[in-house]
Amino acid sequence: MNDFIDKLQAVEDRYDELNELLADPDVISDSQKFTELSKEEASIRETVAKFREYKKVIAQIADDEEMQREKLDPEMDELVKSELSSLRSQRDDIEEQIKVLMLPTDPNDDKNIIMEIHGAAGGDEASLFAADLFNMYSRYAENQGWKVQIVDENATEVGGFKEIVLMISGDRVYSKLKYENGAHRVQRVPVTESAGRVHTSTATVGVMPEAEDVDIDIDPKDIRTDVYRSSGAGGQHINKTSSAVRMTHLPTGIVVAMQDERSQQQNRVKAMQILKARVYDYYQTREQDAYDAERKSAVGTGDRSERIRTYNYPQNRVTDHRIGLSLNKLDRIMNGELDEIIDALILDDQAKKMEQLRNE
């Protein structure tokens, strides 16, 4: 227990130090330093608040135990016993909350994301399902107060998407949507199916934290940029000017093509934004794969080939295969009510981390 208290005291000391630094004019004038320290302060604020609450409860318990050692009348003694019981229960609850807050955190949790949704196996039906997933995430983001921006899209004639790329920005977007990474399977009767047979199709979802300049530094010499004439909607302007941009990151072979905007400069900005996120994700994933191989960790935020969830329309059921959770609420989930699934995934992730800590 002393080790537990010592760790928390060190966190509180650092919190006090950070608040002093954030009031320092030299730090305030350095925007990058100020941002870094502000993020660190915010990341431990809740832990410190809980620790201070915990210390108050411990002090109250000590006072009540001291009173018990004195000669009290029966009524007062019963009152103190009742209060002690309540305080000890409160202490235990706060301890568990603090343990969760002290778990190792993902440094990307507070970032915005770039999400890529691809229609995979299933042709037109897969593209329609990709559009359904786009609508689901858009509604969920709206419920969270987040902002959704379409960065690029490749629509199909039936009203679906071969691919759609979004940027979702807001408070701690990655911390919740990182669990959506993987293959999503749908079972339903396609609109084109005359015999009423249930078909299975898939769409893949990729979730990447938005990479900031402080996260990754890409050498311009490592990028090959090609410009070409756009194709598709947009009138004569698109075909007459070389506004489309293709960027290739030579060390990784990652390619981003962008022709969504009317000007080459706008396409360059968007392409670089996505390229940074993909390169950052590439190196992060390589590190995570090595870490997971060493630790034998099985936290399911894995690669896009991993089948993570099935959406069964005839039975109005959604099943998350990583945690064995089935909910007969498909209609509500497709309308953006993802909280129950995401909260369950977060709790499962926390439980795995707690187990790892106990085994160390």
Side-chain angles (χ1 to χ4, degrees):
M1 183 54 70
N2 284 340
D3 187 43
F4 178 70
I5 299 291
D6 289 345
K7 283 181 182 176
L8 287 166
Q9 189 58 58
V11 172
E12 185 179 29
D13 292 344
R14 176 59 178 164
Y15 181 78
D16 290 338
E17 181 187 8
L18 285 167
N19 277 292
E20 287 180 18
L21 287 168
L22 289 167
D24 186 327
D26 290 339
V27 173
I28 293 170
S29 62
D30 184 340
S31 60
Q32 186 170 322
K33 186 72 174 173
F34 185 81
T35 300
E36 286 174 12
L37 294 177
S38 295
K39 284 183 177 180
E40 186 184 350
E41 185 270 342
S43 72
I44 60 175
R45 188 185 303 147
E46 190 177 354
T47 304
V48 171
K50 279 291 169 192
F51 179 47
R52 287 173 177 170
E53 184 184 346
Y54 180 76
K55 287 194 289 186
K56 285 180 183 176
V57 171
I58 293 295
Q60 286 177 281
I61 289 172
D63 289 344
D64 281 5
E65 287 175 340
E66 182 66 31
M67 284 180 69
Q68 273 194 319
R69 287 190 278 272
E70 300 172 6
K71 285 189 176 181
L72 301 172
D73 63 70
E75 187 180 345
M76 190 63 177
D77 187 56
E78 197 59 40
L79 192 66
V80 171
K81 280 181 182 176
S82 174
E83 187 176 273
L84 261 176
S85 175
S86 175
L87 286 167
R88 284 169 180 155
S89 175
Q90 193 178 344
R91 175 199 61 196
D92 294 345
D93 286 345
I94 297 171
E95 278 180 11
E96 289 305 310
Q97 291 172 41
I98 289 174
K99 284 174 186 174
V100 170
L101 289 169
M102 292 286 281
L103 287 173
T105 56
D106 187 330
N108 293 317
D109 275 352
D110 63 347
K111 293 185 186 299
N112 300 327
I113 67 159
I114 289 173
M115 175 182 279
E116 299 178 343
I117 305 172
H118 294 258
D124 285 345
E125 173 62 9
S127 77
L128 289 169
F129 182 50
D132 291 336
L133 290 177
F134 161 66
N135 290 327
M136 178 183 78
Y137 291 125
S138 297
R139 288 171 186 141
Y140 177 70
E142 185 182 347
N143 294 340
Q144 298 293 313
W146 298 338
K147 180 185 174 185
V148 177
Q149 178 189 1
I150 296 174
V151 179
D152 193 25
E153 63 180 284
N154 185 353
T156 62
E157 291 179 1
V158 295
F161 294 110
K162 286 182 181 176
E163 175 187 20
I164 183 163
V165 182
L166 325 169
M167 172 170 282
I168 304 179
S169 52
D171 182 38
R172 295 178 61 80
V173 179
Y174 187 76
S175 71
K176 293 187 175 181
L177 289 182
K178 63 183 175 183
Y179 301 102
E180 298 305 297
N181 219 27
H184 296 243
R185 182 175 70 171
V186 62
Q187 295 172 325
R188 65 185 178 188
V189 179
V191 290
T192 54
E193 171 58 58
S194 56
R197 291 172 300 183
V198 173
H199 287 227
T200 299
S201 306
T202 57
T204 60
V205 176
V207 177
M208 299 170 290
E210 183 189 10
E212 299 168 17
D213 290 337
V214 293
D215 298 321
I216 187 163
D217 183 20
I218 298 180
D219 190 330
K221 294 195 294 290
D222 288 338
I223 299 174
R224 186 181 72 232
T225 303
D226 303 304
V227 294
Y228 57 99
R229 290 185 180 181
S230 298
S231 60
Q236 293 180 348
H237 169 85
I238 277 190
N239 295 316
K240 285 185 176 179
T241 63
S242 297
S243 60
V245 173
R246 183 188 300 109
M247 287 185 176
T248 305
H249 184 246
L250 300 173
T252 61
I254 292 169
V255 179
V256 174
M258 186 62 57
Q259 62 173 33
D260 199 46
E261 300 295 338
R262 290 176 66 84
S263 80
Q264 185 188 120
Q265 184 56 35
Q266 287 173 315
N267 282 323
R268 279 179 182 270
V269 170
K270 278 193 173 182
M272 178 57 79
Q273 199 173 31
I274 294 176
L275 186 72
K276 275 187 176 181
R278 286 185 182 169
V279 172
Y280 179 68
D281 184 62
Y282 173 84
Y283 288 118
Q284 284 279 108
T285 302
R286 284 213 316 187
E287 288 176 16
Q288 187 65 39
D289 286 347
Y291 176 81
D292 286 348
E294 183 182 334
R295 294 288 299 275
K296 300 289 189 284
S297 171
V299 177
T301 57
D303 71 68
R304 298 180 203 182
S305 63
E306 179 190 2
R307 189 191 70 186
I308 63 166
R309 196 174 296 148
T310 296
Y311 303 75
N312 186 306
Y313 274 70
Q315 297 176 19
N316 196 41
R317 185 180 68 236
V318 174
T319 300
D320 196 288
H321 303 289
R322 295 163 294 180
I323 55 175
L325 175 68
S326 287
L327 298 171
N328 290 96
K329 303 176 180 178
L330 181 141
D331 51 340
R332 290 166 58 183
I333 288 165
M334 297 309 293
N335 198 39
E337 295 181 31
L338 282 164
D339 298 274
E340 192 170 349
I341 294 177
I342 289 173
D343 288 348
L345 287 163
I346 290 170
L347 284 172
D348 181 72
D349 193 12
Q350 289 174 346
K352 286 189 171 94
K353 287 176 179 174
M354 293 278 271
E355 188 63 30
Q356 284 176 353
L357 287 175
R358 289 192 193 101
N359 293 334
E360 286 180 350

